[in-house]
Amino acid sequence: MKIFKSKHKLQKEILNIKNISFVPTMGGLHKGHISLIKKSKTFKGKNLVSIFVNPKQFNRKKDFTTYPRNLKKDLALLKRLKVDFIYLPTHKDIFSFRPRNKIFIDKFSKKLCGKSRKGHFEGVLNVVNRFLEIINPKYIFLGVKDFQQLYLINKHILKRKINTKIVPCKIIREKNGVVCSTRNNNLNKNQFNTASNVYSYLRNIKKLIKRELYNIDIINIKKNLIKLGVKNVDYIEFFNLNTLKKPKNKKEKFKIFVAYYLNNVRLIDNI
Ligand code: AMP
Protein backbone atom coordinates (compact mmCIF):
# COMPACT_ATOMS: atom_id res chain seq x y z
CA MET A 1 0.00 0.00 0.00
CA LYS A 2 1.50 3.33 -1.08
CA ILE A 3 0.22 6.61 0.34
CA PHE A 4 0.40 9.89 -1.61
CA LYS A 5 -0.31 13.41 -0.43
CA SER A 6 0.78 15.16 -3.61
CA LYS A 7 -0.80 14.76 -7.04
CA HIS A 8 2.56 15.08 -8.79
CA LYS A 9 4.05 12.14 -6.90
CA LEU A 10 0.88 10.13 -7.41
CA GLN A 11 0.80 10.89 -11.13
CA LYS A 12 4.44 9.86 -11.52
CA GLU A 13 3.65 6.52 -9.87
CA ILE A 14 0.54 5.71 -11.91
CA LEU A 15 1.60 7.21 -15.26
CA ASN A 16 2.20 3.86 -16.94
CA ILE A 17 -0.62 1.94 -15.29
CA LYS A 18 -3.44 1.38 -17.77
CA ASN A 19 -6.25 0.22 -15.52
CA ILE A 20 -6.86 2.21 -12.37
CA SER A 21 -10.00 1.44 -10.39
CA PHE A 22 -10.79 4.53 -8.35
CA VAL A 23 -12.88 4.67 -5.16
CA PRO A 24 -13.40 8.25 -3.93
CA THR A 25 -14.40 8.63 -0.28
CA MET A 26 -14.59 11.21 2.48
CA GLY A 27 -13.20 8.74 5.01
CA GLY A 28 -14.91 7.53 8.17
CA LEU A 29 -14.88 4.21 6.37
CA HIS A 30 -17.64 1.63 6.96
CA LYS A 31 -19.11 -1.51 5.37
CA GLY A 32 -20.50 0.51 2.44
CA HIS A 33 -17.03 1.77 1.51
CA ILE A 34 -15.56 -1.69 2.06
CA SER A 35 -17.94 -3.21 -0.47
CA LEU A 36 -16.89 -0.63 -3.09
CA ILE A 37 -13.22 -1.30 -2.38
CA LYS A 38 -13.68 -5.08 -2.52
CA LYS A 39 -15.50 -4.72 -5.82
CA SER A 40 -12.70 -2.52 -7.21
CA LYS A 41 -10.24 -5.27 -6.35
CA THR A 42 -12.06 -7.73 -8.63
CA PHE A 43 -11.17 -5.55 -11.64
CA LYS A 44 -7.94 -5.92 -13.61
CA GLY A 45 -5.14 -3.48 -12.74
CA LYS A 46 -4.54 -1.46 -9.58
CA ASN A 47 -6.98 0.17 -7.21
CA LEU A 48 -6.78 3.60 -5.68
CA VAL A 49 -8.79 4.98 -2.76
CA SER A 50 -8.92 8.69 -1.97
CA ILE A 51 -9.90 10.25 1.34
CA PHE A 52 -10.82 13.90 1.12
CA VAL A 53 -13.53 15.70 3.09
CA ASN A 54 -14.54 18.16 0.42
CA PRO A 55 -15.47 21.51 2.02
CA LYS A 56 -17.18 22.72 -1.16
CA GLN A 57 -20.00 20.19 -0.93
CA PHE A 58 -21.06 21.21 2.60
CA ASN A 59 -23.62 23.97 2.63
CA ARG A 60 -23.34 24.43 6.42
CA LYS A 61 -19.96 25.06 8.03
CA LYS A 62 -20.97 23.21 11.21
CA ASP A 63 -21.81 20.13 9.14
CA PHE A 64 -18.29 20.20 7.68
CA THR A 65 -16.55 20.62 11.04
CA THR A 66 -18.60 17.91 12.75
CA TYR A 67 -18.28 15.41 9.87
CA PRO A 68 -16.76 12.26 11.50
CA ARG A 69 -13.08 11.73 10.66
CA ASN A 70 -10.80 8.87 11.72
CA LEU A 71 -7.76 8.69 9.45
CA LYS A 72 -5.75 6.31 11.61
CA LYS A 73 -8.52 3.72 11.68
CA ASP A 74 -9.19 4.23 7.95
CA LEU A 75 -5.56 3.62 7.02
CA ALA A 76 -5.39 0.46 9.11
CA LEU A 77 -8.51 -0.82 7.34
CA LEU A 78 -7.17 0.05 3.88
CA LYS A 79 -3.95 -1.76 4.70
CA ARG A 80 -5.92 -4.88 5.70
CA LEU A 81 -7.86 -4.66 2.44
CA LYS A 82 -4.54 -4.52 0.55
CA VAL A 83 -5.41 -1.39 -1.40
CA ASP A 84 -2.65 -0.49 -3.88
CA PHE A 85 -2.69 3.31 -3.68
CA ILE A 86 -4.12 5.82 -1.21
CA TYR A 87 -4.46 9.48 -2.13
CA LEU A 88 -4.85 11.92 0.77
CA PRO A 89 -4.74 15.30 -0.93
CA THR A 90 -4.53 18.62 0.81
CA HIS A 91 -7.03 21.34 -0.07
CA LYS A 92 -4.32 23.09 -2.09
CA ASP A 93 -3.38 19.98 -4.03
CA ILE A 94 -6.95 19.66 -5.30
CA PHE A 95 -7.95 23.27 -5.83
CA SER A 96 -4.74 24.97 -6.98
CA PHE A 97 -5.06 24.16 -10.67
CA ARG A 98 -7.52 24.98 -13.42
CA PRO A 99 -9.14 21.78 -14.73
CA ARG A 100 -9.45 21.16 -18.47
CA ASN A 101 -13.17 20.37 -18.29
CA LYS A 102 -15.84 22.73 -17.04
CA ILE A 103 -18.34 20.97 -14.81
CA PHE A 104 -21.64 20.02 -16.42
CA ILE A 105 -24.63 20.19 -14.12
CA ASP A 106 -27.73 18.37 -15.32
CA LYS A 107 -31.13 19.78 -14.36
CA PHE A 108 -31.79 16.80 -12.07
CA SER A 109 -29.47 18.65 -9.66
CA LYS A 110 -32.39 20.97 -8.88
CA LYS A 111 -34.43 18.14 -7.35
CA LEU A 112 -34.17 16.15 -4.07
CA CYS A 113 -30.96 17.14 -2.19
CA GLY A 114 -30.35 20.01 -4.63
CA LYS A 115 -33.40 21.87 -3.28
CA SER A 116 -32.23 22.17 0.30
CA ARG A 117 -28.45 21.88 -0.07
CA LYS A 118 -27.62 24.88 -2.24
CA GLY A 119 -24.33 24.44 -4.12
CA HIS A 120 -23.91 20.85 -2.89
CA PHE A 121 -23.77 19.14 -6.29
CA GLU A 122 -21.66 21.91 -7.82
CA GLY A 123 -19.20 21.19 -4.99
CA VAL A 124 -19.32 17.44 -5.61
CA LEU A 125 -18.83 17.78 -9.37
CA ASN A 126 -16.07 20.34 -8.94
CA VAL A 127 -14.01 17.94 -6.87
CA VAL A 128 -14.84 14.75 -8.83
CA ASN A 129 -13.90 16.54 -12.07
CA ARG A 130 -10.51 17.38 -10.56
CA PHE A 131 -9.94 13.84 -9.27
CA LEU A 132 -10.77 12.41 -12.71
CA GLU A 133 -8.25 14.74 -14.33
CA ILE A 134 -5.49 13.93 -11.83
CA ILE A 135 -6.02 10.16 -11.82
CA ASN A 136 -7.55 9.39 -15.23
CA PRO A 137 -9.02 6.14 -13.91
CA LYS A 138 -10.51 3.46 -16.12
CA TYR A 139 -13.30 2.90 -13.60
CA ILE A 140 -14.85 4.91 -10.78
CA PHE A 141 -16.85 3.05 -8.12
CA LEU A 142 -19.90 4.90 -6.79
CA GLY A 143 -22.62 3.85 -4.36
CA VAL A 144 -26.28 3.82 -5.37
CA LYS A 145 -26.92 5.07 -1.83
CA ASP A 146 -26.11 8.50 -3.27
CA PHE A 147 -28.26 7.94 -6.35
CA GLN A 148 -28.55 11.59 -7.35
CA GLN A 149 -24.79 12.10 -7.04
CA LEU A 150 -24.12 9.01 -9.18
CA TYR A 151 -26.61 10.18 -11.81
CA LEU A 152 -25.09 13.67 -12.02
CA ILE A 153 -21.49 12.41 -12.18
CA ASN A 154 -22.56 10.12 -15.02
CA LYS A 155 -24.12 13.04 -16.91
CA HIS A 156 -20.94 15.08 -16.44
CA ILE A 157 -18.72 12.22 -17.66
CA LEU A 158 -20.88 11.66 -20.75
CA LYS A 159 -21.19 15.35 -21.60
CA ARG A 160 -17.47 16.03 -21.27
CA LYS A 161 -16.58 12.74 -23.01
CA ILE A 162 -14.36 11.65 -20.13
CA ASN A 163 -12.80 8.23 -20.57
CA THR A 164 -13.92 6.74 -17.24
CA LYS A 165 -16.66 4.21 -16.70
CA ILE A 166 -18.89 4.30 -13.63
CA VAL A 167 -19.36 1.05 -11.72
CA PRO A 168 -22.55 1.47 -9.63
CA CYS A 169 -22.42 -0.38 -6.30
CA LYS A 170 -25.41 -1.61 -4.31
CA ILE A 171 -26.53 -0.12 -1.00
CA ILE A 172 -25.05 -1.77 2.10
CA ARG A 173 -27.18 -1.71 5.28
CA GLU A 174 -26.72 -2.47 8.94
CA LYS A 175 -28.55 -5.53 10.33
CA ASN A 176 -31.48 -3.33 11.41
CA GLY A 177 -31.88 -1.94 7.87
CA VAL A 178 -30.25 1.44 8.48
CA VAL A 179 -28.10 2.39 5.52
CA CYS A 180 -24.39 2.41 6.47
CA SER A 181 -23.18 6.00 6.61
CA THR A 182 -20.29 7.90 8.17
CA ARG A 183 -22.89 10.22 9.68
CA ASN A 184 -24.30 7.31 11.74
CA ASN A 185 -21.33 7.92 14.07
CA ASN A 186 -23.13 11.08 15.19
CA LEU A 187 -26.33 9.20 16.15
CA ASN A 188 -27.09 7.96 19.65
CA LYS A 189 -28.69 4.57 20.25
CA ASN A 190 -32.25 5.95 20.27
CA GLN A 191 -31.73 7.83 17.05
CA PHE A 192 -30.19 4.76 15.44
CA ASN A 193 -33.34 2.80 16.41
CA THR A 194 -35.53 5.54 14.99
CA ALA A 195 -33.60 5.33 11.70
CA SER A 196 -34.29 1.60 11.67
CA ASN A 197 -38.02 2.21 12.25
CA VAL A 198 -38.07 4.76 9.43
CA TYR A 199 -36.56 2.17 7.09
CA SER A 200 -39.08 -0.52 8.09
CA TYR A 201 -41.99 1.91 7.76
CA LEU A 202 -40.97 3.06 4.27
CA ARG A 203 -40.31 -0.48 3.09
CA ASN A 204 -43.76 -1.41 4.24
CA ILE A 205 -45.30 1.58 2.44
CA LYS A 206 -43.51 0.48 -0.73
CA LYS A 207 -44.90 -3.05 -0.39
CA LEU A 208 -48.44 -1.72 0.16
CA ILE A 209 -48.20 0.53 -2.91
CA LYS A 210 -47.00 -2.39 -5.01
CA ARG A 211 -49.93 -4.50 -3.78
CA GLU A 212 -52.28 -1.60 -4.60
CA LEU A 213 -53.25 -1.26 -0.93
CA TYR A 214 -52.01 2.32 -0.49
CA ASN A 215 -52.19 5.50 -2.54
CA ILE A 216 -49.18 7.74 -2.19
CA ASP A 217 -50.03 10.37 0.44
CA ILE A 218 -46.89 12.37 1.21
CA ILE A 219 -48.50 14.49 3.94
CA ASN A 220 -49.64 11.41 5.84
CA ILE A 221 -46.25 9.71 5.44
CA LYS A 222 -44.46 12.82 6.75
CA LYS A 223 -46.80 12.90 9.77
CA ASN A 224 -46.02 9.26 10.52
CA LEU A 225 -42.27 9.85 10.21
CA ILE A 226 -42.52 12.65 12.77
CA LYS A 227 -44.47 10.28 15.04
CA LEU A 228 -41.58 7.81 14.75
CA GLY A 229 -39.23 10.44 16.18
CA VAL A 230 -37.92 12.23 13.06
CA LYS A 231 -37.23 15.89 13.80
CA ASN A 232 -37.78 17.20 10.31
CA VAL A 233 -38.40 15.63 6.89
CA ASP A 234 -36.34 17.42 4.26
CA TYR A 235 -38.06 15.59 1.42
CA ILE A 236 -39.81 12.36 0.59
CA GLU A 237 -40.39 11.66 -3.07
CA PHE A 238 -41.35 8.75 -5.28
CA PHE A 239 -39.56 8.38 -8.60
CA ASN A 240 -39.62 6.02 -11.51
CA LEU A 241 -35.85 5.64 -12.09
CA ASN A 242 -36.23 5.70 -15.88
CA THR A 243 -38.37 8.81 -16.17
CA LEU A 244 -37.29 10.47 -12.89
CA LYS A 245 -40.95 11.33 -12.43
CA LYS A 246 -43.58 10.24 -9.94
CA PRO A 247 -44.99 6.84 -10.99
CA LYS A 248 -48.37 7.25 -12.68
CA ASN A 249 -49.60 3.71 -12.51
CA LYS A 250 -49.15 0.85 -10.12
CA LYS A 251 -47.12 -1.24 -12.53
CA GLU A 252 -44.23 1.23 -12.81
CA LYS A 253 -41.09 0.38 -10.86
CA PHE A 254 -40.22 3.13 -8.42
CA LYS A 255 -37.99 4.06 -5.52
CA ILE A 256 -38.72 6.13 -2.44
CA PHE A 257 -36.17 8.90 -1.90
CA VAL A 258 -35.96 10.40 1.56
CA ALA A 259 -33.84 12.88 3.50
CA TYR A 260 -34.59 13.63 7.13
CA TYR A 261 -33.09 14.93 10.33
CA LEU A 262 -32.59 13.13 13.65
CA ASN A 263 -31.59 16.07 15.80
CA ASN A 264 -28.91 17.77 13.70
CA VAL A 265 -27.89 14.67 11.77
CA ARG A 266 -29.17 14.58 8.19
CA LEU A 267 -29.68 11.11 6.74
CA ILE A 268 -30.60 10.08 3.20
CA ASP A 269 -31.83 6.80 1.79
CA ASN A 270 -33.50 5.34 -1.26
CA ILE A 271 -35.68 2.30 -0.92
P1 AMP B 1 -18.72 9.11 1.15
O1 AMP B 1 -17.46 8.78 1.87
O2 AMP B 1 -19.94 9.15 2.03
O3 AMP B 1 -18.58 10.33 0.26
O4 AMP B 1 -18.99 7.89 0.17
C1 AMP B 1 -18.04 7.43 -0.74
C2 AMP B 1 -18.68 6.45 -1.68
O5 AMP B 1 -19.21 5.34 -0.93
C3 AMP B 1 -19.86 7.05 -2.47
O6 AMP B 1 -19.82 6.55 -3.80
C4 AMP B 1 -21.06 6.53 -1.70
O7 AMP B 1 -22.22 6.43 -2.51
C5 AMP B 1 -20.58 5.16 -1.27
N1 AMP B 1 -21.33 4.71 -0.11
C6 AMP B 1 -21.50 5.35 1.08
N2 AMP B 1 -22.30 4.65 1.90
C7 AMP B 1 -22.66 3.53 1.22
C8 AMP B 1 -23.47 2.39 1.53
N3 AMP B 1 -24.08 2.27 2.70
N4 AMP B 1 -23.60 1.43 0.59
C9 AMP B 1 -22.96 1.53 -0.59
N5 AMP B 1 -22.18 2.57 -0.94
C10 AMP B 1 -22.03 3.56 -0.06
Side-chain angles (χ1 to χ4, degrees), residues 98-243:
R98 182 193 281 264
R100 266 193 314 272
N101 289 314
K102 245 180 87 178
I103 57 171
F104 171 75
I105 307 182
D106 183 83
K107 60 180 187 307
F108 188 50
S109 64
K110 303 261 187 299
K111 306 223 162 139
L112 303 174
C113 291
K115 278 194 212 161
S116 56
R117 299 190 74 189
K118 290 270 168 289
H120 169 67
F121 288 119
E122 284 81 353
V124 170
L125 288 166
N126 183 348
V127 93
V128 170
N129 186 40
R130 288 165 185 274
F131 271 123
L132 291 176
E133 187 163 322
I134 293 169
I135 297 164
N136 190 21
K138 176 136 188 202
Y139 299 103
I140 181 169
F141 295 74
L142 299 171
V144 175
K145 178 217 161 202
D146 298 283
F147 175 84
Q148 196 177 10
Q149 169 175 288
L150 192 157
Y151 182 94
L152 294 171
I153 293 174
N154 188 41
K155 287 285 176 192
H156 168 72
I157 286 179
L158 292 176
K159 185 80 177 178
R160 297 296 178 235
K161 301 188 171 62
I162 295 170
N163 217 357
T164 298
K165 205 171 165 310
I166 293 182
V167 180
C169 302
K170 67 171 190 207
I171 300 178
I172 305 296
R173 296 179 182 278
E174 302 291 352
K175 279 200 189 85
N176 65 359
V178 175
V179 62
C180 298
S181 165
T182 305
R183 289 175 194 276
N184 291 354
N185 289 312
N186 288 344
L187 297 177
N188 65 30
K189 213 170 163 201
N190 265 342
Q191 292 161 342
F192 190 57
N193 286 337
T194 303
S196 172
N197 293 337
V198 167
Y199 172 68
S200 305
Y201 170 70
L202 292 177
R203 238 173 74 124
N204 197 37
I205 288 283
K206 185 166 179 178
K207 269 191 208 150
L208 293 177
I209 294 171
K210 277 191 183 160
R211 285 160 52 198
E212 307 194 16
L213 296 170
Y214 184 86
N215 287 321
I216 298 172
D217 178 351
I218 302 269
I219 293 174
N220 189 44
I221 294 173
K222 277 189 181 171
K223 268 189 201 156
N224 286 335
L225 291 178
I226 301 288
K227 272 190 208 154
L228 286 176
V230 167
K231 183 175 161 195
N232 179 26
V233 181
D234 193 352
Y235 61 76
I236 170 140
E237 300 205 34
F238 293 68
F239 279 140
N240 173 325
L241 291 192
N242 296 321
T243 60

Side-chain angles (χ1 to χ4, degrees), residues 20 22 38 41 56 64 70 74 99 104 146 149 200 206 215 229 242 258-259:
I20 297 273
F22 174 44
K38 285 195 170 158
K41 284 181 72 73
K56 293 204 190 293
F64 174 66
N70 198 336
D74 288 349
F104 171 75
D146 298 283
Q149 169 175 288
S200 305
K206 185 166 179 178
N215 287 321
N242 296 321
V258 67

